[in-house]
Structure formats: structure tokens, C-alpha cells
């Protein structure tokens, strides 16, 4: 049971951080940014490129790469389309995702490469007689710390208050002096930081990197964000934890011959939840069109 709880919190924490990265951008732009997957992937490749250097240097470079790429995608791809309809923005995010993905394949190849950015955390630890991974314990701790820091940022800083105001009513926040470009760029910067942290923890758990590393993670996290309430940051956390717990429980409880179909059972549960709560468990306030 302890092993299942640790696995559920570890996986749910990764989904929660990824869903937050998606939700922060969606809350201020109403953009479902599927190119967030490539932020995770490029951050992981930055870790791979500096794998022989001190871990602090590699992590700093990874965060920098994800932040710069996030701001570039906003400036080049999404800002010119800011007044377009949501379908156009969604197609643009898919286009950016595929472009970066193919560019990575051209630059580094499509072969899977081994990566262990946190080898010091590979040893197991014992908790109440159960052997669990130290990496997963650290993953849970990092997720809790990051969520707490993000809450303090949103509630105690001027920039955070502006982001919360923009998320609830973008037009009104502009009328009282909130600068649209500043808030949107800040949202992309935060999504890049979260993507780099997810890349570090996910690569450490999987032990490899490849051009589609972030795609399945982001797709599942997007489902988690929808369950929690797309555009709701607390909902993204709740949805991520719920999906992580559900996936872990299905892996543990399903018969061996049904485990390969775990995602199918999980998505059936998602459909049932949305039938009861179509706007998510914690729907966002102020779901109006954004500039």
C-alpha cells in the first residue's frame, strides 16, 4: 500500500505540474498549448547535452532553454494570432509542436538516448517496512514545494495578482492598467520553468530522452486539466493528482492481461466524470473570450 501511495503521488505530481504549465497559459490566453510537450522535450535534451557537467549547471541550462523557447513560441507563433478564433490558435499550437519535433529529429536523430540526470537519487529507501524509490520521494517533495511557491507567487506578488486578475477577466484587468503582453509573456515563462522541472523529474524516472518524450505526458496532463477544470489552476492540481492516482491504482489492481489497456479504462473514468461535471471538478471563473 505504501508503494502504491508513493507511486500515485509521484506520478500525480508530475501530471499536476504539467497540467499547471498548460493551465497557466490557458487561463490568460484561452490557448490549449500542445507545444508545451516540446518545452519538456527540449529541456530534457539540454540535460542530455550537459550530462557530463555538474548537475546544477545542466539544470540551469535546461530551465533557460525551456524559458527561451516558451517566449519565442509566444512571440513568433501565438502573438500574431492573438485575436484569432480558438480553433486557429489550437491548430497553431499543433503546428509549432510538430515543427519543433521534426527539427529535433533532424538535429539529434530519432534514436532513444539514455539519460540519468539525478544518479544520486537512484538508491531505494525503506518506509514502514516497504522499499520505495528515493527519486519518487524527492519528486513528491519537489512537487509540493513548487506548488507552494506558485501559490505564494500568485497571492503575494504584484505580478501574480495581475495574472489572477487576467485569468478571471482579461478585458477588465486591461482597463485597470494590467499590461496584456507582460502578463502573457510571464505566463509562458512560468510554463517554461514548470516544463523544465517536469523534464528533469520525468527523465530521471524513465532514464531516456527522445524527440517525442513530452507528448504522452502532456496529452495525459491535458486530460487532467480538463477534469480539474480547464483554466483553473487549483483544478489542474486536483486533476493531475486524480489521474496519477487512477493510473497507479489501475496498474496495481488490473489483471496482468488487461494492464496494457490501462489508459482505456482511465479515459472511460474520465468520460464518466465529465458527464457528471462537464466543466471539471473545479471550473474556472470568468470563462470569457480573451484578447
Amino acid at each position: 500500500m505504501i508503494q502504491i501511495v508513493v507511486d500515485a503521488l509521484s506520478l500525480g505530481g508530475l501530471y499536476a505540474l504539467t497540467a499547471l504549465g498548460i493551465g497557466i497559459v490557458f487561463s490568460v490566453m484561452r490557448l490549449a498549448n500542445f507545444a508545451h510537450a516540446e518545452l519538456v522535450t527540449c529541456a530534457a535534451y539540454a540535460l542530455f547535452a550537459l550530462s557530463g557537467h555538474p548537475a546544477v549547471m545542466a539544470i540551469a541550462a535546461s530551465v533557460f532553454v525551456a524559458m527561451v523557447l516558451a517566449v519565442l513560441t509566444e512571440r513568433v507563433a501565438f502573438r500574431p494570432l492573438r485575436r484569432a478564433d480558438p480553433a486557429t490558435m489550437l491548430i497553431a499550437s499543433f503546428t509549432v509542436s510538430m515543427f519543433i519535433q521534426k527539427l529535433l529529429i533532424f538535429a539529434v536523430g530519432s534514436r532513444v538516448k539514455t539519460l540519468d540526470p539525478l544518479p544520486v537519487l537512484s538508491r531505494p529507501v525503506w518506509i514502514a517496512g516497504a522499499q520505495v524509490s528515493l527519486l519518487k520521494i524527492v519528486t513528491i517533495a519537489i512537487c509540493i514545494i513548487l506548488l507552494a511557491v506558485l501559490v505564494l507567487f500568485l497571492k503575494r506578488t504584484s505580478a501574480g495578482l495581475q495574472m489572477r486578475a487576467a485569468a478571471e477577466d482579461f478585458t477588465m484587468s486591461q482597463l485597470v492598467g494590467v499590461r496584456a503582453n507582460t502578463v502573457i509573456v510571464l505566463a509562458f515563462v512560468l510554463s517554461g520553468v514548470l516544463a523544465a522541472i517536469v523534464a528533469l523529474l520525468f527523465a530521471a524516472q524513465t532514464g531516456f530522452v527522445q524527440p517525442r518524450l513530452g507528448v504522452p505526458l502532456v496529452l495525459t496532463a491535458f486530460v487532467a486539466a480538463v477534469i480539474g477544470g480547464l483554466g483553473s489552476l487549483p483544478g489542474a492540481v486536483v486533476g493531475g493528482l486524480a489521474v496519477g492516482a487512477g493510473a497507479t491504482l489501475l496498474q496495481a489492481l488490473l489483471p496482468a492481461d488487461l494492464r496494457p489497456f490501462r489508459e482505456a479504462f482511465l479515459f472511460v473514468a474520465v468520460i464518466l466524470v465529465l458527464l457528471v461535471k462537464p466543466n471539471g471538478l473545479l471550473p474556472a471563473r470568468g470563462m470569457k473570450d480573451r484578447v
Side-chain angles (χ1 to χ4, degrees), residues 11 14-15 18-19 22 37 40 195 198-199 202 212-223:
L11 183 60
L14 286 178
Y15 287 148
T18 309
I22 297 170
V40 175
V198 169
F202 191 59
R212 288 181 56 84
L213 176 73
V215 173
L217 182 64
V218 166
L219 287 177
T220 306
F222 183 76
V223 172

Side-chain angles (χ1 to χ4, degrees), residues 153-154 156-165 182-183 186:
F153 170 78
L154 291 174
R156 299 295 179 87
T157 67
S158 174
L161 291 174
Q162 290 183 41
M163 287 190 65
R164 290 173 59 198
T182 302
V183 171
L186 179 59

